[in-house]
Amino acid sequence: MLLEARDLRVSYGDVEAVHGVSFHVEEGELVSIIGANGAGKTTILNTVMGIIPSRGGSIYFRDTEITALPSHIRARQGIRLVPERARVFPLLTVFENIMTGLYGLRKSTDVPSRLSWIYELFPVLKERAKQLAQTLSGGEQQQLAIARALVSQPRLLLVDEVSMGLMPILVEKVFEVLGYLNKEENLTILLVEQNALASLSISHRAYVLETGTISIEGDAGTLREDPGVRKAYLGA
Amino acid sequence: MSNYILTLGIFIVINGIVACGLNIIVGYAGQISLGHAAFFGIGAYTAALLATKAGFSFWMSLPVVIIVTGTVGLLLGLPSLRVREDFLAITTIGINFIVESIFMYVPFFGGALGIGGISRILFFGTRLREAGFLALAGSLLALSMLCSWWFARSWTGLACFSIRDDETAASSMGISPVLFKLIAFMAGTAMAGVGGSLYAHYMRFISATDFGFPVSVMILSMVVVGGMGTLWGPVLGALLLTVLPEVFRPLTEYRMLLYAALLLLMIRFQPGGLLGEYSVFRNLTRRLVGRGRS
């Protein structure tokens, strides 16, 4: 198993936001966690990355426990996050933003081939390579955030609300890219989304999160047909 | 050139070196510091003590000064890792006051009398006075800027920039915020030490109040006015804020008022500093360059 969370609990001060959640991601899978606003999706992802400490439970990555490790160590082990609202480095150029993703890895990476692969995936980033990241549009920043995470060839990509604030056509494109990466490049992805329809259409499995607990889990196709899920999240 | 102008030039250059150091901490790594004068002082006191008690020349003591200041900077940087922004500002102010009072009240450091009788710098047997000293200080400033330039282009610099822009995002890219904040602290304080050493050997008498909190505010102002995170900004800031008080000298009582007004105007109209992104100067050069191209 690539990633496993057992009975994960996360609190903000005295308020528990995630109440004992367990989930796992297999190598090569694309797994979604869907749920409404405030269900705790982003919290879970940030806890996996190590940005927020967990109050209880444990996280395993490649069968070793990482619960206590700081996020930069987790990043070096191959977990990369595409944060909510991109969070690119605004005063660095697009190129520099991408290079931060290679920190500590440049000796073991064929940088030029990796870069050309990234630019092929997101041609707009090549055009804008010398621009400051803060001058990019929302959609371009989102692509940059994905590029920054991908350039290191992560073992596990965590994607947080990638559709938020993007126009529908871009949402489609971003999901297309994620689906392609998973299928063709065999990249393992854990996706957190409010846009349940789009994420279920590319996922293998999914978890439905309701106010900090997992209510339903299963095959993405089955969930799409599930009347409860359809009513609550797919607007049908 | 009159000695007055040369002396002013020497102060500009020394302030420029110290401001370059602070720029690494504030401008590159994004860690606010209101205690930089403490490290300027540690450099000056180390040089002064080595000169008066151990008979070290400026050249012999310079590497020691750099190591001592950098190490103390590293150690005092440690508690600062746990606090951010406003609280970091307060912590660094505290560091400044503690260091100043140690110099002031510990007899070893000369106490309230300070340390006098510091030797002049010898350069191949000749004593460096105003012009020679300015040349030496100028080359050390050039060296500091070269270090800054190299730092900004290195991977370490890139890591520092990413922490400045978004610490959380940086750490989820595999960049350790702790490590790079400490590197920035160490490099920045070591540069302040070089400035301090020059100051001690030029003034030949130093006392604790030379390195008090107001000096820290002045150094930070230089960096902010010139443009945080730029190469030339701290030097331009040092030039302006060393010359302006002299120009305003007839207005003694109102000097600080003008200083404050200038800072507020800067924050209002040129928040990135005079040489920062979107500043008047940048836009002007960009327009000129753009016109040249088209």
Side-chain angles (χ1 to χ4, degrees), chain A residues 125-178:
Chain A
L125 298 183
K126 189 174 189 176
E127 284 166 37
R128 308 222 185 282
K130 291 201 170 123
Q131 267 175 248
L132 293 188
Q134 65 181 8
T135 64
L136 299 187
S137 74
E140 289 162 350
Q141 290 194 11
Q142 199 59 259
Q143 294 178 41
L144 177 56
I146 299 174
R148 185 179 65 178
L150 276 181
V151 72
S152 64
Q153 281 187 290
R155 288 201 166 88
L156 171 66
L157 187 70
L158 308 171
V159 183
D160 194 357
E161 299 279 11
V162 76
S163 69
M164 195 146 89
L166 293 189
M167 15 183 231
I169 188 159
L170 274 173
V171 173
E172 216 167 277
K173 160 141 205 258
V174 168
F175 276 95
E176 213 171 89
V177 169
L178 292 176

Side-chain angles (χ1 to χ4, degrees), chain A residues 71-72 76 87 91 103 134, chain B residues 155 165-166 168 171 174 180 278:
Chain A
S71 52
H72 67 275
R76 294 220 177 150
R87 293 183 77 160
L91 298 176
Y103 194 82
Q134 65 181 8
Chain B
W155 278 84
D165 280 9
D166 191 328
T168 313
S171 78
F180 291 101
Y278 309 116

Side-chain angles (χ1 to χ4, degrees), chain B residues 3 16 43 67 97 146 165-166 173 223 242 252 260 263:
Chain B
N3 275 352
I67 293 167
F97 276 107
L146 198 68
D165 280 9
D166 191 328
M173 290 294 115
V223 177
T242 313
T252 27
L263 279 187

Side-chain angles (χ1 to χ4, degrees), chain A residues 49 51 71-72 75-76 79-81 87 89-92 96 99-104 106 132 134-135 148-149, chain B residues 152 155-156 158-159 161-180 277-278:
Chain A
M49 190 68 239
I51 294 167
S71 52
H72 67 275
R76 294 220 177 150
I79 306 179
R80 288 295 157 113
L81 171 71
R87 293 183 77 160
F89 304 118
L91 298 176
L92 295 184
E96 288 168 334
M99 290 312 266
T100 58
L102 280 175
Y103 194 82
R106 82 205 115 117
L132 293 188
Q134 65 181 8
T135 64
R148 185 179 65 178
Chain B
W155 278 84
T156 309
L158 185 62
F161 290 148
S162 70
I163 289 165
R164 171 195 69 191
D165 280 9
D166 191 328
E167 194 176 321
T168 313
S171 78
S172 53
M173 290 294 115
I175 295 164
S176 159
V178 171
L179 178 67
F180 291 101
E277 204 60 41
Y278 309 116

